[in-house]
């Protein structure tokens, strides 16, 4: 494992190159626009008021249709920095709710994504991929793919 000092030298070199700050800023701007898109196009959803920027591990915002919200659930549209991919996670408003729904999903057959075993740092009950190789040159098409995947995931949760 590198020392923090060595890691910071690498970090500074990447920052000096200019691509990393530009990419991160562009990604965060896109995620904020995507959050606004969901808030504008799905007025019956509770969409988080802000974006969780993260520690360059994940960035996300949540959407909670009324049917999920009344059960203490929400969905998170998540960008995973390490894989540069989008996923959707179903999570509970607290650990108790998350545990109860983990048991429910574990007891019955769930075929849409992965059931996540509860543990420290695990925020999802179930997760599913949305876009594994996003094309950031066509943001409208990317938004459309994320929207379709989100709706399909939510439909699967409702049916379950």
């Amino acid at each position: 494992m590198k020392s923090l000092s060595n890691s910071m030298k690498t970090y500074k070199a990447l920052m000096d190159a200019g691509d990393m700050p530009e990419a991160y800023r562009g990604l965060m701007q896109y995620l904020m626009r995507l959050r606004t898109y969901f808030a504008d196009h799905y007025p019956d959803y509770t969409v988080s008021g802000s974006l969780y920027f993260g520690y360059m591990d994940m960035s996300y915002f949540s959407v909670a249709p009324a049917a999920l919200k009344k059960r203490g659930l929400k969905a998170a549209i998540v960008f995973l920095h390490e894989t540069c991919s989008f996923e959707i996670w179903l999570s509970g408003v607290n650990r108790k709710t998350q545990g109860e729904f983990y048991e429910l999903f574990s007891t019955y057959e769930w075929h849409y994504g992965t059931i996540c075993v509860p543990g420290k740092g695990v925020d999802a009950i179930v997760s599913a991929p949305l876009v594994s190789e996003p094309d950031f040159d066509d943001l409208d098409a990317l938004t459309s793919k994320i929207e379709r995947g989100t709706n399909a995931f939510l439909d699967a949760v409702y049916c379950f």
Side-chain angles (χ1 to χ4, degrees):
M1 185 165 144
K2 286 178 152 182
S3 72
L4 178 57
S5 184
N6 285 339
S7 293
M8 290 308 297
K9 287 177 186 171
T10 302
Y11 180 80
K12 184 176 180 333
L14 291 169
M15 294 298 283
D16 288 344
D19 289 341
M20 195 166 97
E22 184 178 326
Y24 185 79
R25 186 172 26 262
L27 173 64
M28 294 304 114
Q29 288 171 345
Y30 172 68
L31 289 173
M32 288 186 283
R33 282 196 313 267
L34 184 62
R35 188 203 67 75
T36 300
Y37 177 89
F38 273 87
D40 290 347
H41 286 81
Y42 297 90
D44 55 324
Y45 288 12
T46 300
V47 177
S48 58
S50 62
L51 175 68
Y52 173 78
F53 292 94
Y55 294 103
M56 294 184 82
D57 56 345
M58 66 178 158
S59 301
Y60 68 88
F61 63 92
S62 64
V63 296
L68 293 184
K69 190 174 181 178
K70 74 179 183 181
R71 290 173 175 82
L73 298 170
K74 59 186 173 182
I77 297 171
V78 183
F79 179 80
L80 299 171
H81 291 258
E82 186 175 343
T83 59
C84 285
S85 63
F86 286 91
E87 290 186 353
I88 187 161
W89 297 356
L90 179 69
S91 59
V93 295
N94 57 43
R95 296 287 177 201
K96 181 177 184 262
T97 301
Q98 193 164 316
E100 290 168 357
F101 278 92
Y102 166 77
E103 290 299 324
L104 184 65
F105 278 86
S106 297
T107 303
Y108 300 97
E109 291 187 32
W110 171 256
H111 300 289
Y112 197 104
T114 304
I115 298 172
C116 304
V117 178
K120 186 175 180 178
V122 177
D123 296 320
I125 300 164
V126 294
S127 66
L130 285 174
V131 182
S132 59
E133 294 183 19
D135 178 1
F136 289 100
D137 288 329
D138 190 348
L139 296 180
D140 290 339
L142 178 56
T143 297
S144 182
K145 284 181 184 179
I146 292 169
E147 180 180 25
R148 283 192 311 272
T150 297
N151 288 331
F153 178 81
L154 293 174
D155 287 346
V157 171
Y158 297 149
C159 289
F160 180 77

